[in-house]
Amino acid sequence: MSIAILLLAGGASSRMGSRDKLMEDVGGIPLVQQRAMVCIASSADQVRAVLPPDKPRRAEALEGLDIDIVYNEGAALGLSHSLRSGLVGIDAEAVLIVLADLPDITTADLDKVIKAAKAHPLATILRGADGNGKAGHPVLIRNALFEDLKQLEGDTGAQPVLRQHKTDTVLVPIGTAALRDLDTPEDWETWRTEQKT
């Protein structure tokens, strides 16, 4: 089964004030670069990053990596537009959607979802979940639903499609990483404090 990772890194980072959350330092490199490297190390066949055209530093952080970059010209139109931009021209049996602001998802987590997809051929969607069974990320969606994804609008991401196909979704437990995103300076401060303990 051919799988393309869509690393969605096209957001405006508006809740960070003047800082770009995807350029925050994680282990000595920008978060967007660290996330890309985690994706590239997975068993997926290709990795594509969706970037906004007005944040060139994100593209610079990905230079030299084995990653396909597309620009979301409608970044202001929300997450759904970012997802639609990433799907253009994708030739794969499934996409694995990875949000660039979830810092704790590992390559092993991505591979766990990919492996589960191969073990559950009838499931159209597979999602990372926390230990209590709460669905989160990453999200693998088979190509039967690509047309549905291309109709999405607004800042909901894939949520309408995910809700519609809840019955043929398999949850893959990966722990708290499935739900942990860093949107504000306070989120980052808390996360960094935890990393030191």
Side-chain angles (χ1 to χ4, degrees):
M1 180 174 65
S2 58
I3 294 174
I5 289 180
L6 288 185
L7 179 64
L8 299 186
S13 191
S14 54
R15 291 167 65 190
M16 286 291 289
S18 60
R19 289 156 59 182
D20 180 353
K21 65 181 173 184
L22 297 190
M23 294 305 294
E24 289 287 315
D25 186 293
V26 177
I29 58 175
L31 174 63
V32 68
Q33 183 182 357
Q34 193 257 11
R35 294 289 81 205
M37 290 165 71
V38 162
C39 292
I40 291 164
S42 76
S43 57
D45 299 280
Q46 66 179 111
V47 181
R48 170 178 282 186
V50 182
L51 303 179
D54 62 343
K55 296 193 182 293
R57 289 177 63 220
R58 293 185 190 177
E60 288 165 16
L62 300 181
E63 280 179 9
L65 296 180
D66 183 18
I67 192 166
D68 178 29
I69 294 175
V70 296
Y71 290 97
N72 174 20
E73 299 296 339
L77 299 175
L79 188 58
S80 299
H81 199 279
S82 200
L83 179 54
R84 282 164 48 198
S85 300
L87 281 169
V88 174
I90 281 282
D91 181 22
E93 290 167 76
V95 290
L96 183 60
I97 301 164
V98 179
L99 302 186
D101 62 352
L102 276 72
D104 295 334
I105 290 176
T106 64
T107 297
D109 294 332
L110 300 180
D111 283 342
K112 198 172 179 184
V113 174
I114 291 170
K115 191 175 177 184
K118 293 175 180 176
H120 296 85
L122 298 180
T124 50
I125 297 172
L126 293 98
R127 301 185 66 178
D130 71 2
N132 299 315
K134 187 172 181 185
H137 288 269
V139 178
L140 185 141
I141 302 178
R142 296 192 197 273
N143 58 6
L145 299 181
F146 284 7
E147 284 309 312
D148 292 0
L149 294 175
K150 289 173 183 175
Q151 307 305 317
L152 294 170
E153 292 182 354
D155 202 32
T156 58
Q159 289 303 325
V161 174
L162 299 181
R163 280 195 295 272
Q164 203 176 339
H165 293 273
K166 224 171 182 175
T167 54
D168 49 351
T169 295
V170 169
L171 298 182
V172 183
I174 64 169
T176 56
L179 302 173
R180 184 74 179 271
D181 62 351
L182 304 180
D183 284 332
T184 66
E186 293 75 24
D187 291 342
W188 276 95
E189 199 174 324
T190 302
W191 183 77
R192 288 198 167 108
T193 302
E194 288 172 8
Q195 301 305 300
K196 293 172 186 168
T197 57

